[in-house]
Amino acid sequence: MSEPQSRTLPSSLIDAHFWYYPVVAHPPRHCLLVRVTHWITTLCFLALLVSGIELVISHPRFYWGEEGHSLTPALFQIPIPASRAHVKTGYDFVLPDQNGWSRSLHFQTAWIVVFTGLIYAAFSLRSGHLRRNLLPAQLSWATLSESFANHLRLMPPFTGGYNLLQRLVYLLVIFGLFPLMIWTGLAMSPAIAAGYPFVVELSGGHQSARTIHFFATLALVLFFVVHVLMVYLAGLRTRLLPMLSSRYPAPEEQV
Amino acid sequence: MSNGRRNFIAGGVAGLAGTAAWRLAGQSGLLPPDSSGIYGVGHSLTYAAQRLLTGQANAREFSRDQISKIPHPNGKPPQSQDFQRLQANGFADWQLQVDGLVSRPGSFSLADLKAHPSGSQITQLICEEGWSYIAEWTGTPLAHLLELTGAQPKARYMLAYAMDGWVDSIDMHDARHPQTLLTYGMNGTNLPVAHGGPLRLRVPRQLGYKSLKYVSRITFTDQLKEEASDYSWYAGI
Ligand code: HEM
């Protein structure tokens, strides 16, 4: 394999992190609001994930429609032990009940993430962040397949802005998965179902809402893993530091 | 004005507004008894928001053909000898005691309760664990019992005591709600012991743990000393 050729940039701008292609630093800048809401969301996501896993452990079976419990057939069951004795899991032990703090943490965090998300969405719309940085500039089959190909070849990012695929995935997460999580979460609340029955009815019933909530979680976890991997591959110095502090990228790195 | 200064002022205004909102919520009865502690903010937001947003709305009701073939009997009936004696006798000697902040405290046998107007509902019981089923419940509307015993205006909560030692409570908003029943019937038969018979409280706008089984006493109070529990007191979610 030939040495990756250095482009016309000084070596200080090349992040040696990437094992094959040099990463050319055209790092992005992130404004304060994006940085703060991003890290609040990350903390919330982890808290929701941990508490959510605990809640699933109390009943690792899923159903479709309105009803479902230990005595009815499941749509599927996760092969893990449970924290309730009436769930047949195939394990001869029962885990301790952790639902009290898990539920309280889950809902309190849900409130924080909803407020954070609303502030972020309002800001993105008003400031032009959405239009400039997130909506794809040129969306076509050609640009899409090019972006796909670049990812498959692990091409380094050449521009500071988000690439096409990255933009589409962010949009899917921000305006697809997050609202879906909130919608199906609310659908599981008996009080919300009383006041606003369409929330649960559009989800296909109480148990369907729970199942969709679970699959949306899986999608978010997949996003999370790939997202962090991409940041790592694209270069921690050039991509992560700007998300942490406005001192990055340093002035001489800005192109 | 500099950005930092503006942010500082905005933060101050938001803080003051938050404090004022918290006080107002407390005065309008929108704070739950577990509004302090590390999860107090979440508990309070959920309680206040759902009270404001859902008001007197009824829990969803279902059609008869949506009733679950098998309802899930969770947990075990009380193991005490007292209970077994009552059960052996078909609960003929069982009584519900009503006391606290009521003008006419009293006791009611099953026959007494059944002599009063009854309400029926086909609703979903949703357990906090994640499972659920639909059944028809029949019983005395708690609102009716409140009129009968003359609940005093200063009553804010209803505590229910179960024969297996469980205690739980709801606010008067839910106690007066037309769908809140003291149920003695389920799916057209007497309420089975496995499902909380002889008497189960049904609060269908909250999770299953508020639908206390084996209830033998209810009492009205203006103060709740929350038992140390991680489970949120309000279970509308
Ligand atoms: C430890 C975990 C995480 C790390 C290290 C991380 C890192 C980053 C970085 C470096 C960027 C900028 C990307 C670039 O410049 O190309 C970014 C953007 C973004 N991340 Fe994360 N992230 C994490 C967790 C999450 C989670 C949990 C979510 C959501 C579920 C998320 C959603 C986003 C979104 C939507 C953007 C675009 C933000 C915007 O410009 O408005 N991240 N992240």
Side-chain angles (χ1 to χ4, degrees), chain A residues 24-25 30 63 79 86-87 95 117 147 158 180 183 194 219 229 233 246 249 253:
Chain A
V24 184
H30 302 291
Y63 316 91
H86 64 81
V87 188
L95 295 171
S147 189
F158 290 111
L180 185 64
W183 184 282
L229 184 72
L233 289 180
S246 62
E253 282 182 313

Side-chain angles (χ1 to χ4, degrees), chain B residues 151-223:
Chain B
Q152 293 166 12
K154 61 175 190 254
R156 289 188 61 197
Y157 304 101
M158 188 202 83
L159 278 153
Y161 294 86
M163 286 182 272
D164 56 4
W166 281 96
V167 187
D168 215 325
S169 51
I170 54 177
D171 61 9
M172 294 308 282
H173 185 90
D174 265 328
R176 291 207 171 88
H177 189 271
Q179 283 176 319
T180 303
L181 305 180
L182 288 165
T183 64
Y184 43 71
M186 184 181 178
N187 293 337
T189 65
N190 279 340
L191 181 68
V193 166
H195 287 281
L199 195 76
R200 175 176 207 174
L201 176 66
R202 263 300 276 152
V203 190
R205 302 190 312 162
Q206 296 200 40
L207 292 173
Y209 64 85
K210 289 283 160 176
S211 288
L212 205 68
K213 296 154 143 185
Y214 317 110
V215 175
S216 62
R217 178 184 167 211
I218 56 178
T219 185
F220 295 88
T221 169
D222 57 351
Q223 292 238 334

Side-chain angles (χ1 to χ4, degrees), chain A residues 28 30 38-39 42 120 129 162 166 170 224 227 239 243:
Chain A
H30 302 291
H38 179 269
W39 294 117
T42 303
Y120 169 85
H129 174 64
Y162 302 145
Q166 190 179 9
Y170 287 164
F224 178 65
H227 180 57
R239 305 307 288 203
M243 203 32 137

